[in-house]
Amino acid sequence: MPVRIVSLAAHSGAGKTTLCEALLCRGGALPRMGRVEDGTTQSDHTEAERAHGFSITTGVLRLAHRGTDLTLLDTPGYADFVREIRGGIRAADSALILVSAVSGVEVGTERVWATADRFAMPRVVVISQMDRERANFHAVLADLRASLRGPVAAAFLPVGEGPHFRAVADLLTASEDDVPGETRAALREAREALVDAIVETDDDLMNRYLEGEELGADELRGAFLRAVHAGTLFPVIPVSAVSGVGIPELLDLMVDGLRSAFERGPLTGVDGQTREPTPDAPASARVWRVSVDPFVGKLAYLRVWSGTIRPGDTLRNTTRGVDVKPAHLYVVSGKDLTEVPELSAGMIGVLTKLPDLHTGDTLADPANPIEYDPLVLPDPAHTVALFPRTRQDEDRLSTAVARLLDEDPTLGFAREGQTGELLLSGMGDMHTTIAVEKLTALGVNVDTRPPQIPYRETIRAASQAQGKHKKQSGGHGQYGDCHIRLEPGEGFAFRSAVVGGAIPGKYLPSIEKGVGDAMLRGPLAGYPMQDVHVAVTHGSYHDVDSSDLAFRTAGSLAFRNAVEAARPTLLEPVMLLRVRAPAGFTGDLQTRRARVQGMEPEGTVITVTAVVPQSELQTYSADLRSLTGDRGAFSVKFHGYQDLPEHLAKKVIEARKAAAG
């Protein structure tokens, strides 16, 4: 049976999961549609998805239509779950990109479109929710053409909109008698635009068309399907998943226009090797997602790219250099696993209880190894501090977090060296919230708070001072004496300017250690110091009483004495923030002490780059979602340190002293 693996991707709220229900129902895989609101859909079957009312993981769904096996990968809409989105797109051969007839192109639309573009993926654009009030097909079509790269053309026209949406007209076959009078002019205009888009994909047709030759309907249809298949034309179809209008036509278009697993051409590994996507080629597959089931254990979802895999076969994990031998093979639809005797090229399968498999890993025939490029995932953008509620929770935390990280590589976990806090990082506040809920399900209860800001201290002037440590208590005493000069400078530097042997060279490393000890706690609020250059200029020693310990103590004293006169200053960490939001968005960056670096308009969105203090971004994920109606996305990375304004520095110092008692 021919196979189509199709990823459904969109901005949150465009109706992917409801569309999947409609496709499954029309294809006979479901007796009736479930509802997202009721938690009864095939895709959103986890407890977290039912509780929150949106997709968190990529649902794998199967149906048959006109003798073709269709596997749908229903990816989440929230950008927080980018690992699921990108994994689902990479595992497919084609994509349905949904755009709401009410909201039009959004930030998430452009993001998934760019991902599909990166892999030259054929796609169909579905204008969904055509039955809703304020649905506007033609406005959204214009939005698509203005915002998305590539030839986008309507292949079907809606008959009615909003509550009056009752049919779709195929632009290549419908006559003016098939549509109401008020739609006929739009039908003629849309058909001309579609024919122009079709002939531009075929040089022979273009020449004949320009010469005025009449092109036959069958000829145009064939060229249209070839262009869709090749990804040189992106057809647009209006649908309502709730009423079912447009669903039969969409299924036909998926079968006729979207490419099969075998039609995508040879696959290329990172070293230039190729594999034909056929069942008789050497076996190869990629793990595109991993999940941990509380009953089954670890599940590794595979896209088989070439060859055939059978139970007991040895497979080389070429990404990690280890071999695995799956005892059982499964296919999945919704939450149901079905054991199968083999997985062949073009199939989505599941392997269980294999700890050495991780998202992005390549599996291959050991006799014919190949490695495919890894999944490219962004760095985390939002961080919370975890506080286990009990000692038992603390003991279990590391094991539970390790399971989460194994399942989701876009999460991060670390102990902050300066504050000692346990930090969980993710793509946004929703991502970390779901991760904490998973910890609870694993029996680990934690509270979360915004992380402490790792302030630093530095100096803004040069100074010098003496540090002298002299102690006599019977027997050998302790004697160390050094003079040092401090200067502001990038990083830490230590040198000797001692002349005449005033301090033996063997004691200089001890002085440096003493300086390092003192720099761990700055004079203002006890934060570590940075960007200080130190020179030892003079000193004295005693033949008997001097020692490494004495000079280490002297070095620490000298630094503390000198730093008081060097205009110590409090520093705050700053981040490089990139925000993609609807055009015209200015947000609230001015209230966050941001320094805007640039603004780049692009279609319906604008990208703003700014340097922002870390302390101003602790609630930014939720704030941006509120400000933009969930139409914004952002990324952050560490940019450096800057002076903390004096009025804020006073508050930090006072709070630090109050906390110290």
Side-chain angles (χ1 to χ4, degrees), residues 74-380:
D74 178 18
T75 66
Y78 272 102
D80 285 16
F81 308 109
V82 62
R83 185 259 317 197
E84 296 281 346
I85 298 169
R86 293 191 183 180
I89 291 177
R90 292 298 306 276
D93 298 302
S94 308
L96 298 185
I97 307 295
L98 274 67
V99 182
S100 168
V102 177
S103 304
V105 174
E106 303 183 84
V107 173
T109 315
E110 297 200 338
R111 188 169 50 246
V112 296
W113 189 270
T115 301
D117 257 350
R118 193 176 305 132
F119 304 109
M121 180 170 283
R123 67 209 83 150
V124 171
V125 182
V126 179
I127 298 184
S128 60
Q129 302 172 338
M130 281 294 301
D131 57 323
R132 291 194 175 182
E133 295 285 353
R134 297 184 296 108
N136 191 326
F137 175 82
H138 295 285
V140 174
L141 183 61
D143 200 3
L144 289 165
R145 289 170 172 160
S147 307
L148 305 181
R149 292 179 52 194
V152 175
F156 295 83
L157 206 64
V159 178
E161 290 184 325
H164 305 293
F165 178 55
R166 60 188 182 277
V168 296
D170 186 331
L171 291 176
L172 291 180
T173 61
S175 70
E176 293 188 13
D177 293 335
D178 296 330
V179 299
E182 67 272 13
T183 307
R184 290 171 185 171
L187 180 70
R188 287 192 297 271
E189 182 181 345
R191 176 179 287 151
E192 289 176 6
L194 178 60
V195 171
D196 287 345
I198 293 171
V199 298
E200 286 179 3
T201 68
D202 188 305
D203 291 340
D204 178 58
L205 284 183
M206 172 66 82
N207 292 332
R208 291 163 53 197
Y209 183 65
L210 292 176
E211 292 170 0
E213 182 178 336
E214 187 74 24
L215 301 176
D218 290 343
E219 199 169 21
L220 283 171
R221 169 68 66 180
F224 167 74
L225 294 176
R226 287 193 298 274
V228 176
H229 179 281
T232 55
L233 176 62
F234 306 124
V236 180
I237 178 171
V239 306
S240 165
V242 174
S243 68
V245 175
I247 298 301
E249 291 82 359
L250 175 58
L251 279 169
D252 286 341
L253 183 57
M254 292 166 67
V255 169
D256 294 333
L258 296 181
R259 70 186 179 188
S260 74
F262 309 137
E263 294 165 338
R264 64 181 296 143
L267 302 146
T268 304
V270 294
D271 63 354
Q273 287 190 72
T274 59
R275 291 285 183 273
E276 292 294 332
T278 57
D280 54 354
S284 67
R286 181 194 277 118
V287 179
W288 60 273
R289 76 175 293 253
V290 166
S291 68
V292 179
D293 185 276
F295 303 106
V296 181
K298 189 172 185 177
L299 305 177
Y301 289 71
L302 302 179
R303 165 62 198 267
V304 183
W305 293 115
S306 65
T308 301
I309 300 171
R310 297 179 178 84
D313 285 353
T314 297
L315 298 171
R316 173 73 44 79
N317 183 337
T318 53
T319 306
R320 302 180 186 274
V322 297
D323 288 346
V324 297
K325 185 180 289 188
H328 303 277
L329 309 175
Y330 300 90
V331 293
V332 61
S333 186
K335 63 181 179 181
D336 299 322
L337 292 177
T338 303
E339 190 165 3
V340 293
E342 63 182 29
L343 295 171
S344 59
M347 295 181 69
I348 297 290
V350 175
L351 307 183
T352 61
K353 300 177 182 178
L354 294 174
D356 291 325
L357 296 185
H358 306 272
T359 301
D361 287 357
T362 298
L363 298 178
D365 176 0
N368 297 275
I370 189 172
E371 182 180 353
Y372 297 118
D373 58 306
L375 295 176
V376 178
L377 298 170
D379 295 327

Side-chain angles (χ1 to χ4, degrees), residues 502-582:
I503 301 175
K506 66 179 181 178
Y507 293 132
L508 291 172
S510 298
I511 297 173
E512 183 176 1
K513 289 179 181 178
V515 168
D517 294 339
M519 288 183 65
L520 292 176
R521 290 184 56 83
L524 296 176
Y527 290 107
M529 299 195 69
Q530 66 179 41
D531 298 334
V532 179
H533 289 191
V534 181
V536 183
T537 60
H538 187 56
S540 61
Y541 74 101
H542 190 278
D543 287 334
V544 176
D545 292 343
S546 289
S547 65
D548 287 328
L549 178 60
F551 271 100
R552 182 169 181 168
T553 304
S556 180
L557 289 171
F559 185 89
R560 290 173 187 160
N561 293 335
V563 78
E564 296 288 352
R567 284 176 46 207
T569 301
L570 206 59
L571 300 175
E572 63 177 341
V574 292
M575 314 300 285
L576 184 65
L577 171 73
R578 287 176 59 86
V579 185
R580 284 176 60 84

